[in-house]
Amino acid sequence: METNIFDSGVRDMAWCPGCGNFGIRNAIMKALTELGIEPRNLVMVSGIGQAAKMPHYLRCNTFNGLHGRALPPATGIKASNPGLTVIAESGDGDMYGEGGNHFMSTIRRNPDITNIVHDNMVYGLTKGQASPTSPRGFVTPVQVNGVILEPFNPLAVAVALDASFVARAFSGDMDKTVDILKKAITHKGYALVDILHPCVSFNKINTFAWFREHTYYLDDSHDFHDRNAAFTRATEKGRLPLGILYENPDKPTFEESLAVYQDSASPIIKRELNMEKLSELIDSKQ
Amino acid sequence: MISFPVKKDDITIVLCGAAGQGVQTVEQLLTHLFKQTGYNLFSTKEYMSRVRGGSNSTELRVSSHKVQAYLDTIDLLFPLSREALDHVRRRISPGTIIIGEKEKLAPGGDDIPGIVDIPLSGLSQKIGGAIYSNIIIVGVIAALFNIDRKAIEEYLRDRFGKKGEQVVAKNIEAVDAGYEFGDGLTSSGTVSIELTRDAGVEDDIIINGGEAVGLGAIAGGCNFMSSYPMTPSTPVLTFLAQHSKEFGIIVEQAEDEIAAINMTLGAWYAGARGLVTTSGGGFALMAEGLSLAGIIESPMVIHLAQRPGPATGLPTRTEQGDLEFALYAGHGEFPRVLFAPGTLEDAFHLTRKAFAVADKYQVPVFVLTDQYFIDSYYNIPQLDISDGKIDRHIVETDTGYKRYAFSDSGISPRGIPGLGKGLVVVDSDEHDEEGHITENHDMRIRMMDKRLKKLDAVVNEAVPPELIGKKDASTVVICWGSTFPIVREAVERLSRNDMAVLYFKQVYPLHPGTGSFFKHARKRVIVENNATSQFGRLLKLHADIDITTRILKYDGLPFSVEELEKRLLEVI
Ligand SMILES: Cc1ncc(C[n+]2csc(CCOP(=O)(O)OP(=O)(O)O)c2C)c(N)n1
Ligand code: SF4
């Protein structure tokens, strides 16, 4: 097989054999290559968890920060240098649990970044506790009598907050996932891609077969510019819809709304301090 | 008849009222008017954690010489209500002249010695309502200090012009009414003030602590700030927001302090120069982010404006209680630098330097202030920014670039994404030279040593403490941060030549020559605005200095010069 420019050649990956993360990695490499993005202009930001190790297994700039905190640095990076392609990637525990407040606020802020969430409905790295998306009744070493909390519905929340792009993928479907990722990365504004994937080590409920049985792809009958329709799909009981649920292409991005970019598109990191203006400001305090 | 003794060099005015009664407006107006008239000025405020009601007071110290510290003594008091009067009662002395509405201040008709009755209600009603009371007071004070009426008019036009001619006219009317009353007091000899003007004041600027930190940040090349509002740190956030467009600074109110520091770390990573401003509670939420800065070797500047804790404590009051917190916050071991400016000039220069040090050594740098410092104004000479160059410690990367390449100093050249051919990988896990996760124990040791080694280099650039007085003084009064001008003035008042003041503006790491300042000092008196003498402990631990006497204050208020003078007398 031809090596991909994003393939770092690392062989010792910390993921379990048979894990959906491998499929996601392949899909990401393929999507980035097909989009013609250069590794040096890509920044992958992640939190902590199994999913969050992804940037280490790719050739790219990497900010592997704290558990739950991928979105704030991703926002800071994009705002400081809008020319970079910024992807924030982590697990469901990281993004929706520990980082829940940032998830909501980043949607509201709408930076032009892509947010990939590996949704395995369990905490992988810490060995099998419930995650915000675990189903009711899910038994773990901590939730010994089964999960009693209502599962977090990331897509419904994102649509409710009028996120500018909301999609769900399944790691078992390479081509369709690549297609969704490409659309998310090229979308201008915040784009959420919740990727369902089986955790072969700790989730014996939501298995590969389970996902196959409990998902379906949205077809042309779904108008993804219709927010109410998107919300209806996001809250459907039974089978989970895959594909692009919602897009609002008209939202201004965080970067373009910032005062500093009103008169000049030059990234703030390339600008010099205007000493004359500083002198004037100091003088004005006379 | 009451007659106010003529004081020639230093007069303290206190305005006191409920929140929402316009004490703040008076402070702003008078601060500028006094300075324009040629007086030196110091002002500070203390206020309750509420938006309306309660009792807040503002002190304006007007002087013929430079003044930078808080006094308890009140020469002229303007209470706007009975509660306000009671609020400052302990500071009233036989020399205090109270100008206020007798009927309101003593509704039962009880005697208030030293009161000059002013019919504020009547005067303000005539103009249009009680809201003009504060501007009438501005007029009274202006008359007493012989401030040019034109200057006031100009200032009012500037300030209220946007609200329309009607508002300006009403305010001018209020000033006139006050002025007339004040003139009456002067001509009748009730109050007469003769204060020598200082020609040197004209070119000075007048700023407060918040502005000094904000200006220092701009001068330091700050172009990114993300923070969450928390008293008393918010003025810095506001200041930079107001100048965001002008100076190309991204200013974002984050959803919480965790987001604030992580977003700012992202900005540094991308090549910006970032600042967070917060207070103890907010900084508690930043602790993990601070630790992240430590391991990814990111520069970071943290303005920590202290207030009394634990937890929410006294939200609007002052304390120097978070020194050890700033020193030890963040899990794991990594270097950091702590500045603690005591003067406005130092706040400007040290905040500016914080960016340079953070960038050069790739470490977090703190600027520690407190409520008293942030809310105090005084006039200072123009800030010198002639050495305007900003050294950026960023390299263009090449293929094979390693973010954490080992070097003798421990400092690795810092690349940023998109600049050069290399890739920049940073990781909160222990990592190898490239930045990738490692669990190799030898690598762990080498990386720890590399990070910790940077402290040696930082020490070499440490700012030495400042000695005021003789090198061989047998008593040294030690202070750090905001208490410095108060300590200096209290010691000056004692005018003893065996006493010196040692002011620390970099509190960690200490300057290597710190010990030499204590060679002759048999008495080592430390003054701190906290309960346990945190800096005293730091001096013992890091410079083996034994403190002989501790003067501590932790009621939520700053020391006053008089109080400190008295307490120093008790111990020397
Ligand atoms: C502040 C903090 N709390 C807890 C942890 C421990 N921790 C690491 S990963 C993780 C959860 C991982 O689950 P998820 O985000 O779903 O990712 P996965 O491993 O399943 O890919 C936890 C709780 C941590 N690293 N930091
Ligand atoms: S723990 Fe689960 S999700 Fe994580 S790598 Fe293993 S199989 Fe994959």
Side-chain angles (χ1 to χ4, degrees):
Chain A
M1 198 181 105
E2 202 182 317
T3 52
N4 182 288
I5 53 162
F6 291 94
D7 191 342
S8 60
V10 177
R11 293 289 160 257
D12 180 25
M13 290 186 240
W15 294 326
C16 315
C19 170
N21 284 337
F22 292 100
I24 299 174
R25 175 174 176 266
N26 289 334
I28 288 174
M29 290 198 295
K30 193 152 189 265
L32 290 168
T33 318
E34 288 181 16
L35 289 173
I37 290 167
E38 274 188 75
R40 59 186 288 272
N41 288 327
L42 170 72
V43 182
M44 298 282 294
V45 186
S46 69
I48 295 296
Q50 286 291 75
K53 289 175 181 160
M54 179 70 79
H56 291 286
Y57 308 145
L58 298 173
R59 266 188 70 237
C60 60
N61 295 292
T62 297
F63 187 108
N64 180 187
L66 298 170
H67 185 49
R69 319 297 170 201
L71 291 170
T75 305
I77 292 165
K78 184 70 184 178
S80 300
N81 189 357
L84 298 168
T85 299
V86 179
I87 297 177
E89 180 162 10
S90 270
D92 47 308
D94 184 289
M95 287 290 179
Y96 305 143
E98 190 89 339
N101 197 17
H102 312 310
F103 176 63
M104 284 198 299
S105 298
T106 307
I107 292 173
R108 292 180 53 223
R109 220 170 251 129
N110 198 34
D112 184 11
I113 64 171
T114 308
N115 187 184
I116 301 173
V117 187
H118 298 212
D119 192 350
N120 56 1
M121 305 176 175
V122 72
Y123 279 14
L125 185 58
T126 47
K127 299 194 163 56
Q129 304 81 10
S131 97
T133 51
S134 297
R136 272 182 191 273
F138 186 67
V139 176
T140 83
V142 175
Q143 286 75 21
V144 288
N145 298 315
V147 169
I148 55 171
L149 273 66
E150 181 66 23
F152 183 73
N153 184 331
L155 305 193
V157 170
V159 173
L161 290 168
D162 199 15
S164 72
F165 183 101
V166 183
R168 181 152 52 201
F170 172 49
S171 67
D173 295 331
M174 177 73 162
D175 291 347
K176 290 210 169 76
T177 301
V178 170
D179 188 49
I180 292 168
L181 283 173
K182 281 165 72 179
K183 287 190 173 120
I185 295 166
T186 44
H187 169 81
K188 186 167 87 71
Y190 170 87
L192 171 67
V193 185
D194 181 84
I195 307 184
L196 301 174
H197 84 98
C199 169
V200 294
S201 297
F202 299 111
N203 191 338
K204 307 294 179 198
I205 307 290
N206 309 104
T207 59
F208 196 85
W210 186 93
F211 282 121
R212 275 268 176 262
E213 224 168 275
H214 291 84
T215 57
Y216 72 96
Y217 279 92
L218 292 163
D219 58 23
D220 290 347
S221 70
H222 174 63
D223 175 4
F224 57 80
H225 289 136
D226 180 342
R227 190 158 160 224
N228 286 326
F231 193 76
T232 304
R233 296 285 184 159
T235 51
E236 270 171 359
K237 297 281 175 207
R239 291 200 305 157
L240 304 166
L242 298 169
I244 298 167
L245 253 82
Y246 181 61
E247 184 187 35
N248 180 348
D250 302 325
K251 288 183 89 173
T253 68
F254 175 62
E255 304 80 70
E256 67 190 18
S257 307
L258 289 169
V260 296
Y261 294 124
Q262 296 315 298
D263 300 335
S264 160
S266 163
I268 54 152
I269 60 162
K270 296 214 173 120
R271 302 184 196 175
E272 296 283 327
L273 168 62
N274 188 330
M275 291 309 270
E276 226 164 272
K277 270 194 188 158
L278 179 56
S279 274
E280 275 168 34
L281 176 58
I282 294 173
D283 282 346
S284 75
K285 303 289 171 189
Q286 267 189 350
Chain B
M1 191 182 71
I2 319 143
S3 160
F4 186 66
V6 183
K7 280 185 83 173
K8 286 223 166 60
D9 59 349
D10 199 349
I11 291 169
T12 301
I13 306 166
V14 169
L15 301 139
C16 189
Q21 273 189 312
V23 173
Q24 208 93 309
T25 314
V26 178
E27 179 187 11
Q28 279 170 15
L29 271 168
L30 286 174
T31 313
H32 287 89
L33 289 173
F34 277 125
K35 206 220 122 213
Q36 270 175 19
T37 309
Y39 295 123
N40 289 283
L41 190 102
F42 165 86
S43 82
T44 192
K45 63 177 179 209
E46 55 85 21
Y47 54 103
M48 289 176 149
S49 182
R50 51 196 285 179
V51 177
R52 289 278 180 271
S55 292
N56 300 341
S57 75
T58 288
E59 165 169 315
L60 292 149
R61 207 180 148 187
V62 193
S63 175
S64 56
H65 57 272
K66 287 227 176 329
V67 279
Q68 309 189 332
Y70 171 72
L71 288 185
D72 254 339
T73 313
I74 303 176
D75 296 314
L76 270 175
L77 175 64
F78 293 87
L80 287 171
S81 67
R82 175 66 194 209
E83 295 76 44
L85 182 66
D86 291 339
H87 180 64
V88 292
R89 192 172 286 281
R90 62 167 189 93
R91 295 172 60 189
I92 298 173
S93 67
T96 307
I97 189 154
I98 303 166
I99 302 182
E101 194 164 9
K102 214 169 179 173
E103 214 182 283
K104 271 219 181 129
L105 299 180
D110 44 324
D111 189 38
I112 303 173
I115 189 161
V116 174
D117 190 18
I118 174 169
L120 265 184
S121 302
L123 290 173
S124 59
Q125 279 317 321
K126 245 189 265 163
I127 299 159
I131 54 160
Y132 294 101
S133 303
N134 58 341
I135 303 295
I136 294 173
I137 288 173
V138 171
V140 176
I141 295 174
L144 295 179
F145 285 82
N146 214 351
I147 292 172
D148 182 25
R149 229 185 254 224
K150 278 249 179 59
I152 311 176
E153 260 195 59
E154 256 172 51
Y155 199 84
L156 288 173
R157 228 171 264 290
D158 239 32
R159 197 184 146 93
F160 295 115
K162 267 192 240 131
K163 296 188 180 169
E165 199 40 50
Q166 166 87 1
V167 175
V168 175
K170 284 279 176 200
N171 278 291
I172 291 174
E173 209 181 308
V175 167
D176 286 345
Y179 215 96
E180 207 173 300
F181 184 84
D183 264 348
L185 292 181
T186 313
S187 54
S188 68
T190 314
V191 182
S192 70
I193 291 168
E194 251 180 66
L195 195 65
T196 319
R197 295 183 186 191
D198 175 359
V201 168
E202 203 184 325
D203 292 332
D204 277 6
I205 57 168
I206 187 152
I207 55 173
N208 64 19
E211 288 170 311
V213 171
L215 286 167
I218 297 176
C222 174
N223 54 11
F224 191 98
M225 172 181 221
S226 177
S227 288
Y228 189 87
M230 186 169 188
T231 304
S233 69
T234 315
V236 177
L237 175 60
T238 315
F239 183 80
L240 288 191
Q242 276 157 1
H243 298 289
S244 160
K245 196 166 178 189
E246 201 180 339
F247 290 98
I249 307 167
I250 294 176
V251 178
E252 176 64 358
Q253 179 176 323
E255 54 272 29
D256 54 33
E257 287 83 352
I258 300 173
I261 191 165
N262 281 284
M263 211 184 277
T264 307
L265 285 170
W268 273 104
Y269 167 81
R273 280 193 157 193
L275 170 72
V276 292
T277 183
T278 189
S279 183
F283 178 60
L285 296 184
M286 291 185 180
E288 197 190 11
L290 175 74
S291 186
L292 176 63
I295 197 161
I296 65 174
E297 301 193 46
S298 173
M300 185 69 208
V301 179
I302 299 164
H303 170 236
L304 175 51
Q306 302 162 98
R307 72 187 211 190
T312 312
L314 292 169
T316 59
R317 304 299 174 179
T318 204
E319 195 160 277
Q320 295 182 302
D322 295 335
L323 169 62
E324 287 180 332
F325 184 34
L327 183 62
Y328 297 121
H331 51 298
E333 299 163 296
F334 56 93
R336 69 191 75 196
V337 177
L338 273 64
F339 292 133
T343 67
L344 296 175
E345 287 100 325
D346 282 345
F348 174 80
H349 292 296
L350 291 174
T351 306
R352 186 184 192 187
K353 190 179 165 79
F355 284 88
V357 170
D359 202 347
K360 187 169 173 188
Y361 299 101
Q362 304 173 19
V363 293
V365 180
F366 289 81
V367 178
L368 282 172
T369 65
D370 52 44
Q371 180 270 325
Y372 168 71
F373 187 84
I374 288 295
D375 288 331
S376 297
Y377 284 87
Y378 48 84
N379 55 297
I380 54 169
Q382 275 281 2
L383 294 165
D384 182 15
I385 53 164
S386 53
D387 57 334
K389 211 165 71 79
I390 289 177
D391 284 328
R392 289 309 320 262
H393 302 273
I394 288 175
V395 296
E396 197 173 321
T397 58
D398 217 330
T399 38
Y401 169 75
K402 291 179 174 165
R403 172 64 187 88
Y404 302 106
F406 289 121
S407 73
D408 289 342
S409 62
I411 300 163
S412 329
R414 191 164 72 89
I416 57 172
L419 184 69
K421 298 194 197 92
L423 298 173
V424 184
V425 179
V426 304
D427 184 11
S428 72
D429 289 88
E430 191 54 274
H431 41 253
D432 57 20
E433 284 183 274
E434 264 178 67
H436 288 297
I437 300 186
T438 184
E439 295 193 36
N440 178 307
H441 299 289
D442 294 328
M443 182 58 81
R444 158 70 179 178
I445 293 173
R446 293 188 72 190
M447 277 296 162
M448 279 297 282
D449 291 347
K450 160 187 157 48
R451 287 188 291 266
L452 292 171
K453 206 182 323 174
K454 294 191 293 185
L455 196 61
D456 301 341
V458 172
V459 166
N460 287 328
E461 259 190 57
V463 184
E466 197 174 311
L467 183 79
I468 291 97
K470 287 199 191 127
K471 258 197 159 153
D472 58 354
S474 59
T475 301
V476 168
V477 184
I478 306 149
C479 60
W480 62 280
S482 70
T483 53
F484 166 57
I486 304 165
V487 174
R488 181 178 53 191
E489 190 170 338
V491 171
E492 259 167 29
R493 282 187 178 207
L494 293 169
S495 64
R496 290 173 46 151
N497 57 10
D498 60 344
M499 244 175 128
V501 175
L502 192 61
Y503 152 48
F504 285 84
K505 49 183 105 172
Q506 174 162 345
V507 287
Y508 183 83
L510 292 174
H511 187 269
T514 298
S516 68
F517 290 94
F518 294 90
K519 267 196 213 126
H520 305 278
R522 274 178 290 111
K523 275 203 171 136
R524 293 142 182 201
V525 183
I526 198 161
V527 177
E528 297 191 61
N529 228 169
N530 60 39
T532 62
S533 185
Q534 299 185 17
F535 189 58
R537 269 198 297 275
L538 190 152
L539 277 176
K540 175 66 187 163
L541 195 63
H542 294 278
D544 200 21
I545 306 299
D546 286 302
I547 300 299
T548 53
T549 310
R550 294 178 164 79
I551 298 180
L552 307 172
K553 183 174 165 80
Y554 49 94
D555 58 357
L557 300 170
F559 283 99
S560 72
V561 174
E562 300 93 327
E563 172 190 14
L564 188 59
E565 184 188 0
K566 217 174 101 208
R567 290 183 65 178
L568 280 169
L569 260 179
E570 283 165 15
V571 298
I572 54 173

